[in-house]
Amino acid sequence: NDQVYIEDWKKAGLNNLQHRIDSFDCIDKGEKLVISVSSRIAPAVFTHGFECEYIYNIYSSGDLVLEVKGKPVGKLPNLPRIGLQMTMDKMFDQVSWYGRGPGESYIDSKQANRVGLYEAAVDQLDTPYVYPQENGNRTDVSWVSFTDLRGMGIFVSADPVLNFSAHRYTTADLEKARHLNELNPGDEIAINLDYKHQSINSASCGPKCLDKYRLDPEDFKFSLRFRPFTKDLISPVILGRESFAE
């Protein structure tokens, strides 16, 4: 469904973004360690890109609150998503979340999914379209956890709410594949934690996405809280009730 935009994205180098660290600072504030990183995220041969700041607040409890700020520089096309990507070992494939579900949802196709508490294995989050493509996003998510079968793993909450998806293959794998049998599960789970996500569009059989669902370059700011936990000691539901300041 993104084929109508993909050439513009590739011409702008969005498929080859690189991170350059411009400054790094670490301050011990007693109750927490604060690491500040200024970074330029851009394709190597262009003047446009994004100026970003990452602030890691690391607490003795094991909590990590990551504040992300960014602004676009130069002329850029509309964007597929704004957010972070991470990987976890394939054993952490049990997912719980509070947000829209149980099926996939996007900004322009979420009304059929109610906000609630849901659980699923990573493989159940996939929507196996005949032609491999972006799939499995969940919207309006307040928190999500990834654990192994014993209930040990990581909890992530967001301010504001986030989009998330998790697959046994990367977005690059999806882009290259033309048939489902070409998607080979790896040893890691690829996780997208997105501040915003453009609509899925309908250009495969209709017009481009509506202007209100298009993700144009804009200044952005969001925070994520990461916490290691085990369900034997505390429920992710209870963790979800705690504020970022606690």
Side-chain angles (χ1 to χ4, degrees):
N1 282 315
D2 289 325
Q3 292 301 315
V4 69
Y5 298 110
I6 198 167
E7 289 306 315
D8 289 338
W9 292 345
K10 288 184 176 180
K11 286 179 182 178
L14 296 184
N15 58 319
N16 288 309
L17 295 176
Q18 299 182 20
H19 288 64
R20 185 188 73 199
I21 304 300
D22 292 330
S23 68
F24 174 91
D25 192 25
C26 182
I27 301 176
D28 187 350
K29 292 191 173 182
E31 76 281 4
K32 65 179 179 178
L33 190 67
V34 180
I35 298 174
S36 301
V37 179
S38 294
S39 175
R40 175 177 169 82
I41 303 174
V45 296
F46 294 93
T47 57
H48 59 249
F50 301 87
E51 293 180 355
C52 297
E53 182 181 14
Y54 301 88
I55 301 175
Y56 299 82
N57 300 277
I58 305 171
Y59 296 85
S60 59
S61 62
D63 284 65
L64 164 63
V65 175
L66 173 57
E67 303 171 50
V68 182
K69 304 175 184 178
K71 64 178 181 179
V73 177
K75 187 176 181 179
L76 287 155
N78 63 309
L79 307 173
R81 63 186 356 135
I82 297 174
L84 302 176
Q85 293 182 321
M86 60 181 282
T87 60
M88 295 186 68
D89 188 275
K90 63 181 180 181
M91 73 173 65
F92 298 100
D93 62 352
Q94 304 299 304
V95 187
S96 301
W97 74 95
Y98 184 79
R100 291 193 183 270
E104 72 172 16
S105 60
Y106 292 81
I107 189 173
D108 61 338
S109 61
K110 65 182 184 179
Q111 295 301 319
N113 288 271
R114 294 184 176 182
V115 173
L117 178 62
Y118 299 97
E119 296 182 348
V122 164
D123 293 333
Q124 295 173 318
L125 299 178
D126 278 358
T127 302
Y129 294 108
V130 174
Y131 190 102
Q133 58 192 278
E134 163 66 32
N135 75 86
N137 187 69
R138 266 68 179 177
T139 57
D140 297 335
V141 175
S142 298
W143 60 261
V144 59
S145 69
F146 301 90
T147 64
D148 60 15
L149 291 173
R150 297 173 297 173
M152 297 178 63
I154 192 167
F155 168 92
V156 185
S157 58
D159 181 23
V161 292
L162 57 80
N163 293 263
F164 91 88
S165 61
H167 303 285
R168 295 188 185 275
Y169 40 81
T170 66
T171 51
D173 295 332
L174 271 175
E175 167 65 16
K176 295 175 184 177
R178 294 297 176 265
H179 304 281
L180 287 175
N181 65 308
E182 297 172 10
L183 291 172
N184 298 312
D187 292 329
E188 295 180 323
I189 297 171
I191 300 169
N192 294 303
L193 302 171
D194 291 327
Y195 161 68
K196 285 190 178 180
H197 198 295
Q198 184 167 269
S199 71
I200 57 173
N201 315 312
S202 59
S204 61
C205 58
K208 295 182 179 180
C209 70
L210 298 177
D211 288 346
K212 65 180 179 179
Y213 297 133
R214 189 176 63 205
L215 180 53
D216 291 320
E218 63 178 10
D219 291 1
F220 57 88
K221 178 182 179 181
F222 63 95
S223 299
L224 297 173
R225 173 192 174 203
F226 298 85
R227 180 172 182 174
F229 82 109
T230 173
K231 289 184 177 180
D232 287 342
L233 297 179
I234 191 168
S235 164
V237 176
I238 295 177
L239 289 176
R241 294 171 182 166
E242 297 179 0
S243 70
F244 273 64
E246 291 176 324

